[in-house]
Amino acid sequence: MLVEPLYFMKFSSKYDRIAFLYNILETPIEHFMFKSWRKKVIPEIHGNILEVGLGTGKNLAYYPDDAKVTGIDVSPNMLKIAKRDHDRDMTNFATMAAEYLGFADDTFDYVVSTFVLCVVADPEKASKEMKRVCKPGGCIINIEHMRSNSEFIAFFEDMFNPVSKALLDEHINRNIPAIIEKSGLRIIEERDMGLVDVFRLIRSSPR
Ligand SMILES: C[S@@+](CC[C@H](N)C(=O)[O-])C[C@H]1O[C@@H](n2cnc3c(N)ncnc32)[C@H](O)[C@@H]1O
């Protein structure tokens, strides 16, 4: 596995520190929004799957039983909670940075990432890595918080961005579709999930 040690130490810290509180903090938004999106999207995913930025494993309950799930996250404490709270086979779960995935090219049928490209330090590099490890003909699935196409909504996202960055490293105004396309992926579906177009599902293909 290739991970720059200093980079790794720097970016694992914030979620590591709040890992024990994360599920509690997220309860309202999880209950009213995220949970129903996970239930819609995750059960359709099959085969050999990599989940990037697994967090406390909130998607794990929704993968089909026969799915082979590998999960990575830069925070060991978030992964510990995923392991504690889920009885899926966790032997393939590792502490790793999205920008330095330690897997061979063309390994996975699906690469999944939910609410992660808004957090990672280098989203384009992370997206390039997702492309690299996804098989030709495979699919990358992102559900992400992003900059709205409405200037009115984007104004408020810009205004609150410094606060969400300071609290949770969340860059709520990133142009995620542009980042995904810049990484060389081809977007095949973009669908609004909630709060107009602030949360979107993006399916993309590596070739
Ligand atoms: C907002 S949480 C989302 C967690 C989970 N995907 C979910 O849907 O609940 C963001 C996660 O990304 C992880 N993360 C942040 N930077 C990362 C990086 N560079 N590489 C891998 N994971 C990272 C954090 O540790 C955290 O678990």
Side-chain angles (χ1 to χ4, degrees), residues 34 37-64 67-74 79 88 92-94 96-99 101 103 107-118 120 126-127 129-135 138-144 176 180 185 193 200-206:
F34 297 173
W37 306 346
R38 298 183 202 278
K39 274 186 179 169
K40 259 185 222 153
V41 175
I42 304 296
E44 295 169 4
I45 301 171
H46 290 271
N48 193 14
I49 299 159
L50 173 66
E51 184 167 334
V52 174
L54 182 89
T56 55
K58 289 181 179 182
N59 292 325
L60 289 174
Y62 305 112
Y63 288 108
K68 181 177 174 243
V69 184
T70 298
I72 69 102
D73 197 288
V74 81
L79 282 178
R88 197 167 263 282
N92 291 330
F93 287 39
M96 196 182 286
E99 294 89 336
L101 295 177
F103 304 103
T107 301
F108 299 98
D109 300 305
Y110 282 89
V111 180
V112 177
S113 155
T114 58
F115 317 109
V116 173
L117 286 183
C118 57
V120 294
S127 189
E129 279 292 85
M130 293 183 202
K131 173 179 186 277
R132 181 184 66 75
V133 301
C134 188
K135 287 178 184 168
C139 185
I140 290 130
I141 296 189
N142 295 93
I143 302 177
E144 301 288 351
I176 301 289
I180 289 175
L185 287 163
M193 299 300 276
R200 276 174 250 169
L201 163 72
I202 298 179
R203 288 179 209 270
S204 58
S205 127

Side-chain angles (χ1 to χ4, degrees), residues 4-205:
E4 281 181 12
L6 287 176
Y7 179 96
F8 183 79
M9 280 164 62
K10 182 171 175 200
F11 292 104
S12 69
S13 57
K14 199 162 276 177
Y15 279 88
D16 236 31
R17 280 201 301 274
I18 59 120
F20 70 105
L21 270 180
Y22 180 79
N23 285 348
I24 298 167
L25 291 175
E26 292 265 308
T27 298
I29 199 161
E30 185 66 33
H31 183 76
F32 290 109
M33 295 166 77
F34 297 173
K35 192 174 176 177
S36 65
W37 306 346
R38 298 183 202 278
K39 274 186 179 169
K40 259 185 222 153
V41 175
I42 304 296
E44 295 169 4
I45 301 171
H46 290 271
N48 193 14
I49 299 159
L50 173 66
E51 184 167 334
V52 174
L54 182 89
T56 55
K58 289 181 179 182
N59 292 325
L60 289 174
Y62 305 112
Y63 288 108
D65 287 343
D66 60 352
K68 181 177 174 243
V69 184
T70 298
I72 69 102
D73 197 288
V74 81
S75 158
N77 283 336
M78 294 290 272
L79 282 178
K80 252 185 229 160
I81 293 172
K83 288 181 183 171
R84 185 197 68 194
D85 293 351
H86 298 89
D87 42 14
R88 197 167 263 282
D89 175 11
M90 304 276 175
T91 43
N92 291 330
F93 287 39
T95 309
M96 196 182 286
E99 294 89 336
Y100 299 92
L101 295 177
F103 304 103
D105 297 357
D106 307 338
T107 301
F108 299 98
D109 300 305
Y110 282 89
V111 180
V112 177
S113 155
T114 58
F115 317 109
V116 173
L117 286 183
C118 57
V119 171
V120 294
D122 188 339
E124 193 183 324
K125 189 165 173 56
S127 189
K128 275 186 183 151
E129 279 292 85
M130 293 183 202
K131 173 179 186 277
R132 181 184 66 75
V133 301
C134 188
K135 287 178 184 168
C139 185
I140 290 130
I141 296 189
N142 295 93
I143 302 177
E144 301 288 351
H145 193 166
M146 63 192 79
R147 186 182 180 83
S148 171
N149 289 320
S150 148
E151 282 307 316
F152 179 72
I153 298 172
F155 170 81
F156 288 99
E157 291 183 289
D158 291 344
M159 201 161 79
F160 286 110
N161 194 51
V163 178
S164 64
K165 249 167 62 181
L167 290 177
L168 280 175
D169 286 339
E170 281 217 35
H171 302 248
I172 59 176
N173 60 355
R174 281 182 176 162
N175 185 342
I176 301 289
I179 290 168
I180 289 175
E181 280 179 334
K182 217 167 157 210
S183 73
L185 287 163
R186 186 170 58 86
I187 294 181
I188 47 186
E189 185 189 1
E190 192 175 330
R191 196 196 314 163
D192 299 348
M193 299 300 276
L195 297 183
V196 195
D197 60 351
V198 164
F199 291 97
R200 276 174 250 169
L201 163 72
I202 298 179
R203 288 179 209 270
S204 58
S205 127

